[in-house]
């Protein structure tokens, strides 16, 4: 068990008040900022004077006051020196990898990752001569075997999308550092619950679209790391975030700032509900997978990695065998039981369900899906917290019976 408490760290970080003493921070909506003394402008471009070094803000693709408040809060929550916000999770991941790798370099990645990230690694980056070997995230030795002299990065999701196969972050960090590599971890499924940087990861990336924002109304991403790496990403002349330009709108940053204070509460409730539903499904003999069940293959590993009090997360899967059966169950759950919504994404207050193989993992070829243990009938359920839990348990029991799953 880790002693780090992300919720407490968030409470302790310097709070930003709004203009006129507002309890909410102000939204600073300006594309560019005035320099009073013209001599300061060249110094900003030389990296000598940012708002943190007695200078001033320059241009909102680089540094925006509202976005900067969110970045400070995220760094505190993650236990990293710095953070940076982007317009999407994908841009956070792409900019991070393009900052760490150049043509000729190699990545060793978990094969159990979001379909978009898989496509980035397997299809797009090779066009830039950056290649990837995919390995089982639960097999740390497999990562080591795949390392070559050209390897620069080990990449994994903490709890993998969609099968929930989990990586041993501390072991991967030790491995990466022994070989002089960087460990990049996508922690989208488990914010607050697991703190990869505290376990040794060098860079933690997020799709804030999911649990962190929690309202299903915007797309956003984040990179949390040490000051040196964030400064490299933001370098005015060479930084990948500066050059590729995935800038988050300050209004979106403000919305997330206002939702971060209840992220801990939300994560605990997602976990409480998912645990109860998983236990009920297991009692019924349904093919459920959930990290909080004692028979989950890596239950002990997850238990050792989680921060106290947040439970085992809001994601569970039900392997319905075939896509048709998964679709039948989803239709019953949505249209008859009103249990949740058939939609991609996760971390929303309502339950969201999708059949991963034919949706968010459809970029991955069927034989590779089979290799990573992704069945065509795998139903991914992102458990929400609307409605009474007792009523939800009745609904899901009725639905799995009606779909012939038990
Ligand atoms: N990482 C994971 C684990 C995801 O599930 C997703 C999207 O589903 C992403 C990254 C990409 O995030 P975004 O849609 O915010 O670009």
């Amino acid at each position: 068990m880790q002693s780090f408490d992300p919720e407490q760290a968030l409470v302790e970080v310097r709070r930003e008040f709004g203009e006129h003493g507002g309890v909410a921070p102000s939204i600073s909506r300006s594309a560019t900022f005035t320099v009073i003394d013209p001599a300061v402008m060249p110094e900003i471009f030389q990296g000598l004077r940012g708002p943190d070094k007695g200078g001033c803000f320059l241009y909102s693709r680089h540094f925006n006051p509202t976005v900067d408040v969110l970045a400070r809060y995220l760094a505190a929550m993650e236990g990293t020196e710095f953070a940076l916000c982007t317009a999407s999770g994908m841009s956070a991941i792409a900019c991070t990898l393009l900052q760490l790798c150049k043509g000729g370099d190699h990545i060793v990645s978990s094969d159990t990752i979001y379909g978009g990230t898989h496509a980035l690694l397997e299809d797009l980056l090779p066009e830039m001569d950056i290649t990837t070997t995919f390995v089982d995230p639960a097999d740390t030795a497999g990562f080591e075997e795949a390392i070559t002299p050209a390897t620069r990065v080990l990449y994994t999701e903490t709890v993998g999308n969609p099968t929930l196969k989990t990586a041993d972050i501390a072991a991967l960090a030790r491995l990466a550092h022994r070989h002089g590599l960087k460990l990049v971890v996508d922690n989208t499924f488990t914010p607050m619950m697991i703190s990869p940087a505290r376990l040794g990861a060098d860079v933690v990336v997020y799709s804030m679209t999911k649990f962190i924002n929690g309202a299903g109304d915007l797309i956003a991403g984040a990179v949390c790391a040490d000051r040196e790496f964030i400064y490299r990403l933001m370098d005015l002349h060479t930084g990948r975030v500066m050059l590729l330009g995935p800038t988050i709108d300050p209004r979106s940053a403000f919305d997330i700032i206002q939702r971060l204070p209840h992220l801990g509460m939300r994560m605990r409730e997602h976990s409480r509900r998912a645990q109860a539903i998983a236990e009920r499904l297991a009692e019924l003999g349904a093919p459920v997978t959930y990290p909080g069940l004692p028979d989950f293959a890596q239950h002990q590993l997850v238990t050792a990695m989680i921060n106290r009090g947040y439970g085992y997360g809001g994601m569970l899967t039900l392997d319905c065998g075939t896509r048709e059966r998964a679709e039948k169950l989803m239709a019953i759950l949505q249209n008859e039981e009103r249990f949740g919504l058939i939609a991609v994404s996760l971390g929303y207050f309502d339950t969201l369900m999708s059949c991963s193989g034919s949706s968010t993992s459809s970029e991955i070829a069927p034989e590779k899906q089979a290799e990573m243990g992704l069945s065509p009938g795998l139903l991914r359920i992102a458990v929400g917290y609307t409605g009474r839990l007792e009523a939800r348990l009745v609904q899901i029991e009725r639905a799995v019976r009606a779909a012939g799953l038990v």
Side-chain angles (χ1 to χ4, degrees):
M1 286 256 184
Q2 304 300 306
S3 55
F4 184 59
D5 185 347
E7 230 172 351
Q8 192 54 33
L10 205 45
V11 169
E12 283 166 15
V13 68
R14 179 171 60 80
R15 273 283 295 287
E16 205 68 38
F17 292 96
E19 281 176 288
H20 318 295
V23 292
S26 302
I27 305 179
S28 190
R29 291 192 62 210
S30 192
T32 190
F33 298 85
T34 328
V35 173
I36 306 295
D37 173 0
V40 169
M41 180 78 85
E43 290 182 358
I44 295 175
F45 275 88
Q46 287 159 30
L48 300 175
R49 290 272 208 119
D52 56 329
K53 294 178 188 158
C56 58
F57 288 93
L58 172 73
Y59 185 63
S60 276
R61 176 155 50 82
H62 182 232
F63 236 135
N64 171 281
T66 309
V67 176
D68 198 34
V69 171
L70 176 57
R72 284 201 302 105
Y73 291 178
L74 290 170
M77 169 183 119
E78 217 46 47
T80 55
E81 261 183 323
F82 257 59
L84 180 156
C85 306
T86 58
S88 66
M90 278 314 298
S91 56
I93 296 165
C95 288
T96 294
L97 294 176
L98 287 170
Q99 192 73 58
L100 291 170
C101 300
K102 59 183 184 336
D105 288 346
H106 174 251
I107 297 166
V108 182
S109 170
S110 156
D111 62 7
T112 306
I113 52 175
Y114 165 59
T117 313
H118 199 282
L120 173 74
L121 292 168
E122 181 157 85
D123 303 325
L124 181 63
L125 292 186
E127 290 181 19
M128 302 169 195
D129 198 24
I130 299 168
T131 54
T132 297
T133 303
F134 292 96
V135 297
D136 181 339
D139 178 14
T140 304
F143 275 85
E144 182 151 34
E145 280 160 29
I147 292 171
T148 73
T151 306
R152 298 289 170 266
V153 168
L154 303 186
Y155 184 88
T156 192
E157 291 175 6
T158 316
V159 172
N161 185 357
T163 64
L164 311 180
K165 220 185 241 188
T166 302
D168 184 339
I169 302 300
L172 284 178
R174 283 193 297 274
L175 174 65
H177 299 154
R178 215 167 46 241
H179 289 267
L181 313 175
K182 298 289 185 197
L183 175 63
V184 179
V185 176
D186 180 340
N187 198 44
T188 297
F189 275 23
T190 47
M192 287 204 164
M193 190 186 132
I194 297 178
S195 304
R198 307 288 301 190
L199 297 168
D202 300 286
V203 183
V204 181
V205 289
Y206 278 107
S207 167
M208 294 202 288
T209 314
K210 313 293 170 13
F211 289 103
I212 290 185
N213 179 54
D217 57 355
L218 57 83
I219 302 283
V223 184
C224 305
D226 62 13
R227 173 190 294 259
E228 191 267 338
F229 186 65
I230 299 297
Y231 270 46
R232 269 170 69 200
L233 281 170
M234 293 183 60
D235 184 287
L236 278 161
H237 298 127
T238 60
R240 300 318 189 238
V241 169
M242 270 311 276
L243 297 184
L244 297 171
T247 312
I248 188 173
D249 189 289
R251 284 170 294 189
S252 295
F254 173 83
D255 286 345
I256 301 174
I257 289 169
Q258 292 300 83
R259 290 158 186 173
L260 266 190
H262 45 75
L263 174 61
M265 240 166 62
R266 288 187 277 116
M267 289 309 293
R268 279 194 290 276
E269 190 58 10
H270 281 294
S271 292
R272 186 177 79 88
R273 303 271 185 135
Q275 181 81 39
I277 290 170
E279 284 173 6
R280 176 64 58 88
L281 288 168
E283 275 162 31
L284 293 169
V288 59
T289 297
Y290 180 66
L293 292 177
D295 70 351
F296 179 72
Q298 296 153 295
H299 178 68
Q300 285 189 353
L301 171 67
V302 180
T303 304
M305 288 203 295
I306 53 182
N307 296 313
R308 270 185 206 88
Y310 297 96
Y312 288 83
M315 305 298 295
L316 62 85
T317 68
L318 254 177
D319 190 349
C320 303
T322 62
R323 174 176 157 186
E324 291 68 31
R325 220 139 154 241
E327 287 174 351
K328 182 175 175 190
L329 178 59
M330 278 194 289
I332 296 170
L333 282 169
Q334 174 178 269
N335 303 329
E336 294 177 25
E337 296 291 349
R338 305 277 184 263
F339 176 86
L341 304 169
I342 304 171
V344 295
S345 203
L346 49 117
Y348 190 41
F349 44 74
D350 275 326
T351 293
L352 301 181
M353 316 169 275
S354 54
C355 183
S356 301
S358 47
S359 60
T360 51
S361 297
S362 57
E363 295 93 338
I364 306 171
E367 61 280 7
K368 294 208 167 143
Q369 290 191 16
E371 264 172 42
M372 64 189 258
L374 170 51
S375 135
L378 188 102
L379 181 58
R380 189 187 76 183
I381 304 184
V383 177
Y385 45 80
T386 54
R388 278 188 310 109
L389 176 57
E390 295 69 25
R392 297 300 189 200
L393 292 170
V394 172
Q395 289 173 328
I396 195 139
E397 178 166 346
R398 243 185 343 236
V400 291
R401 288 193 192 283
L405 228 64
V406 295

